[in-house]
């Protein structure tokens, strides 16, 4: 005899399903208990697709592009069905399957009396921004953009707003496009809010349930949520893939409750955000200084004849070698950016050999390469952070959201199209982030200036002027 769900079982079910849009296999219930929950109207079904003007739209990711809709023969009903290729990594959504959402009693989240356990202090500029963000949450403003230069300490500026939300019994999500950022944020947020439930959701994360009051997630994880959050904080809204993928904006809009606040964070707003700011359509707060009070490092452009062809031959620019041998701060680690995985693999050995030849490192184990599909990516980034690695050769996956206390930054083939203005500004922002070493060299090696390079340098100089630096 199967026992019906008891009170605790219902509470667990509510936590697992509330605010989500799930496939049947994602709901942790036996078939008996699932049928019982549907019959008691605790769970309701939602069509996986909507048909509009003879076009199918996936109700999980919003995709309606025909090239991303494929067909397969269904073994259950002997028909051919469409399914969404756009979000298939999260489980197949087809015309023959349903999505499910919670329709039972509203789940109440805990109200915390004194949620913030962070003992640090904010600068005057940080406090001003923090107060504005907190006010937006407290007054249930629809949206606010926090525009803060790289290294301004935007995470700490969120703490008062998160505290207010937890005091009010609200649910919060901090979403960002990159898993590396989530991995770095998790211990900082958990330490700052030690008594709140915190979970980090990203591909390969240990947390799977998404049942915490304070969620950290990659923006792709928002595809599983629906009307879940009272406060949604979207970090790095200008970053790939968020700014270039309509399904992620679709997911973010669906993930918030009808009455909610969305906070956008960026150091490099895109044209659409700047236009909305100019037209007074997007409230914003601007922080022009780094938290330690020093200016942003301004990149130096180094033109190299036939730079791309030399790189293909595994030859590094002589000017790079000259800089390497005459560094004013040889104790700084070296972070080298290249535009493609193939070039990273191509240059890994010659760059490591060069460092060994000139006694900058003593063993090959002190240098490494990392990119998005690297299975050891997390360990390598942590090793660089722990200074076990002296040089890290990387693609743009580390252009933003990661903090290393003392680095010089190099971009090889800086004229490549992946290094747009925002990417170069963000990469430059990896240098000089610590008050113990607030400076750092940023060198752009190229065989011809691009608009992106010129605009990035001018943007950084403009931010420094706005921050009070000549």
């Amino acid at each position: 005899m199967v026992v019906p769900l008891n009170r605790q079982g219902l509470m667990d079910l509510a936590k697992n399903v509330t605010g989500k849009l799930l496939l049947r296999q994602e709901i942790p219930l036996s078939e008996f208990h699932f049928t019982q929950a549907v019959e008691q109207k605790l769970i309701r079904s939602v069509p996986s697709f909507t048909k509009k003007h003879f076009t199918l739209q996936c109700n999980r990711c919003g995709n309606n592009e025909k090239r991303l809709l494929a067909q397969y023969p269904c073994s259950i009903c002997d028909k051919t069905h469409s399914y969404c290729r756009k979000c298939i990594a999260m489980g197949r959504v087809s015309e023959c399957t349903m999505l499910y959402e919670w329709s039972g009693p509203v789940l109440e989240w805990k109200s915390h009396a004194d949620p913030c356990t962070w003992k640090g202090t904010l600068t005057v500029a940080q406090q001003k921004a923090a107060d504005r963000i907190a006010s937006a949450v407290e007054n249930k403003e629809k949206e606010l953009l926090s525009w803060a230069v790289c290294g301004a300490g935007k995470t700490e500026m969120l703490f008062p707003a998160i505290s207010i939300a937890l005091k009010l019994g609200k649910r919060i999500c901090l979403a960002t496009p990159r898993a590396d950022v989530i991995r770095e944020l998790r211990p900082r947020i958990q330490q700052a809010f030690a008594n709140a439930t915190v979970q980090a959701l990203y591909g390969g994360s240990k947390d799977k349930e998404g049942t915490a009051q304070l969620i950290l997630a990659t923006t792709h994880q928002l595809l599983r949520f629906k009307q879940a959050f009272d406060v949604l904080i979207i970090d790095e809204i200008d970053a790939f893939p968020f700014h270039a993928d309509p399904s992620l904006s679709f997911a973010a809009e669906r993930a918030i409750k009808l009455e909610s606040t969305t906070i956008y964070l960026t150091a490099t707003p895109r044209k659409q955000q700047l236009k909305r700011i100019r037209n007074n359509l997007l409230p914003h707060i601007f922080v022009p200084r780094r938290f330690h009070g020093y200016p942003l490092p301004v990149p130096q452009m180094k033109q190299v004849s036939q730079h791309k062809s030399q790189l293909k031959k595994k030859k590094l620019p002589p000017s790079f070698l000259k800089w390497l041998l005459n560094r004013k701060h040889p104790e700084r680690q070296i972070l080298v950016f290249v535009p493609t995985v193939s070039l990273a693999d191509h240059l890994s050995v010659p760059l490591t050999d060069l460092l060994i030849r000139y006694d900058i490192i003593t063993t090959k184990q002190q240098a490494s390469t990392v990119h998005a599909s690297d299975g050891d990516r997390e360990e390598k980034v942590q090793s660089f952070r722990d200074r076990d690695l002296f040089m890290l050769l990387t693609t743009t996956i580390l252009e933003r959201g990661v903090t290393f206390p003392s680095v010089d930054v190099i971009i090889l083939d800086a004229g490549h199209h992946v290094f747009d203005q925002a990417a170069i500004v963000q990469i430059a922002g990896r240098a000089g982030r610590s008050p113990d070493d607030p400076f750092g060299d940023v060198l752009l090696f190229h065989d011809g200036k691009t608009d992106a390079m010129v605009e990035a340098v001018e943007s950084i100089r403009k931010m420094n002027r706005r921050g009070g630096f000549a």
Side-chain angles (χ1 to χ4, degrees):
M1 180 179 176
V2 182
V3 180
L5 287 172
N6 57 22
R7 179 178 175 81
Q8 185 58 51
L10 290 173
M11 286 293 294
D12 292 341
L13 178 62
K15 279 190 174 183
N16 272 288
V17 185
T18 290
K20 294 180 185 175
L21 201 57
L22 302 173
L23 292 167
R24 167 65 187 96
Q25 60 264 32
E26 295 177 298
I27 300 174
L29 284 180
S30 67
E31 202 57 41
F32 174 85
H33 286 139
F34 177 78
T35 302
Q36 180 190 22
V38 172
E39 289 175 349
Q40 293 179 4
K41 298 184 178 180
L42 299 173
I43 294 175
R44 64 172 163 238
S45 60
V46 177
S48 296
F49 285 88
T50 300
K51 199 165 189 178
K52 295 181 179 179
H53 308 295
F54 305 103
T55 301
L56 283 177
Q57 176 174 302
C58 172
N59 286 332
R60 181 167 65 183
C61 72
N63 168 52
N64 59 8
E65 295 185 54
K66 288 185 178 179
R67 65 183 181 87
L68 294 174
L69 295 172
Q71 293 190 326
Y72 76 105
C74 179
S75 60
I76 299 174
C77 58
D78 294 324
K79 292 183 180 180
T80 299
H81 294 300
S82 294
Y83 70 93
C84 182
R85 293 171 54 220
K86 175 79 173 178
C87 59
I88 194 169
M90 306 185 86
R92 185 168 63 191
V93 170
S94 75
E95 290 178 281
C96 193
T97 58
M98 301 294 286
L99 294 166
Y100 296 92
E101 63 183 2
W102 181 252
S103 55
V106 175
L107 183 66
E108 297 292 336
W109 296 95
K110 182 179 177 180
S111 296
H112 298 258
D114 190 17
C116 189
T117 49
W118 182 62
K119 302 303 180 185
T121 56
L122 299 174
T123 66
V124 173
Q126 285 179 316
Q127 191 64 60
K128 181 180 178 182
D131 290 343
R132 179 66 185 89
I133 298 168
S135 174
V137 170
E138 190 168 23
N139 295 315
K140 300 179 182 179
E141 295 180 38
K142 183 179 179 182
E143 56 183 356
L144 175 72
L145 172 70
S146 176
W147 177 3
V149 298
C150 296
K154 65 180 182 297
T155 301
E156 289 75 15
M157 288 187 277
L158 295 173
F159 291 170
I162 295 174
S163 291
I164 284 176
L166 290 172
K167 285 179 182 178
L168 295 173
K170 294 179 181 289
R171 195 180 191 198
I172 309 107
C173 178
L174 199 169
T176 184
R178 306 286 175 88
D180 299 280
V181 181
I182 296 297
R183 284 191 283 265
E184 182 170 295
L185 282 175
R186 170 66 189 268
R188 294 169 63 188
I189 295 296
Q190 186 66 82
Q191 186 177 30
F193 299 95
N195 298 318
T197 54
V198 179
Q199 289 176 339
L201 307 179
Y202 54 88
S205 63
K206 294 179 181 178
D207 295 331
K208 304 292 183 186
E209 298 84 2
T211 56
Q213 187 171 3
L214 178 49
I215 294 284
L216 311 178
T218 52
T219 46
H220 277 93
Q221 295 293 327
L222 295 178
L223 290 168
R224 286 196 172 96
F225 290 93
K226 180 180 179 181
Q227 294 184 13
F229 304 110
D230 302 283
V231 178
L232 175 60
I233 302 164
I234 306 178
D235 191 14
E236 309 290 5
I237 56 164
D238 62 293
F240 180 86
F242 186 80
H243 81 93
D245 189 341
S247 70
L248 299 182
S249 296
F250 173 87
E253 291 175 12
R254 188 186 60 207
I256 55 176
K257 294 181 180 179
L258 297 178
E259 191 176 73
S260 60
T261 300
T262 301
I263 306 295
Y264 307 108
L265 308 178
T266 184
T268 48
R270 298 275 175 175
K271 289 180 180 178
Q272 63 265 37
Q273 285 110 33
L274 293 173
K275 183 178 179 180
R276 291 187 67 203
I277 289 171
R278 285 195 299 271
N279 293 333
N280 295 318
L281 297 175
L282 179 60
H284 79 287
I285 183 71
F286 180 66
V287 184
R289 275 196 174 211
R290 291 184 144 188
F291 78 96
H292 52 50
Y294 289 88
L296 297 159
V298 179
Q300 304 171 52
M301 289 185 273
K302 302 284 186 180
Q303 186 157 357
V304 180
S305 178
Q306 298 182 326
H307 183 48
K308 288 186 179 181
S309 62
Q310 292 296 309
L311 292 177
K312 287 180 181 178
K313 296 174 184 176
K314 299 186 179 182
K315 293 183 179 180
L316 294 158
S319 49
F320 172 72
L321 176 58
K322 182 179 178 181
W323 168 82
L324 200 61
L325 297 176
N326 294 283
R327 289 200 302 154
K328 294 179 181 178
H329 297 276
E331 73 282 357
R332 283 185 193 143
Q333 293 168 278
I334 302 172
L335 190 58
V336 181
F337 286 85
V338 291
T340 64
V341 174
S342 59
L343 185 56
D345 291 337
H346 192 65
L347 293 178
S348 178
V349 172
L351 184 54
T352 301
D353 289 346
L354 182 71
L355 296 175
I356 290 175
R357 188 186 316 154
Y358 291 100
D359 294 324
I360 293 167
I361 60 175
T362 56
T363 67
K364 291 182 179 181
Q365 286 67 42
Q366 289 179 281
S368 192
T369 303
V370 69
H371 48 78
S373 56
D374 189 338
D376 297 323
R377 168 180 168 184
E378 185 176 352
E379 290 76 12
K380 289 178 180 179
V381 173
Q382 189 58 51
S383 292
F384 190 68
R385 191 175 286 121
D386 294 338
R387 297 187 67 88
D388 294 329
L389 288 174
F390 186 79
M391 188 278 292
L392 191 59
L393 180 62
T394 180
T395 56
T396 55
I397 59 160
L398 297 184
E399 75 176 34
R400 60 180 74 217
V402 290
T403 300
F404 308 113
S406 182
V407 295
D408 285 327
V409 177
I410 304 297
I411 303 181
L412 298 176
D413 192 10
H416 193 282
H417 67 86
V418 303
F419 297 121
D420 60 14
Q421 178 191 349
I424 294 172
V425 170
Q426 290 284 355
I427 288 170
R430 298 314 99 203
R433 296 180 73 91
S434 169
D436 296 325
D437 185 15
F439 304 103
D441 288 345
V442 180
L443 276 65
L444 315 182
F445 290 93
H446 64 93
D447 53 12
K449 289 182 184 179
T450 62
D451 290 343
M453 293 161 61
V454 174
E455 290 166 1
V457 170
E458 180 51 37
S459 173
I460 290 171
R461 285 176 173 155
K462 183 179 179 180
M463 292 301 101
N464 283 338
R465 289 194 294 271
R466 291 185 69 174
F469 302 103

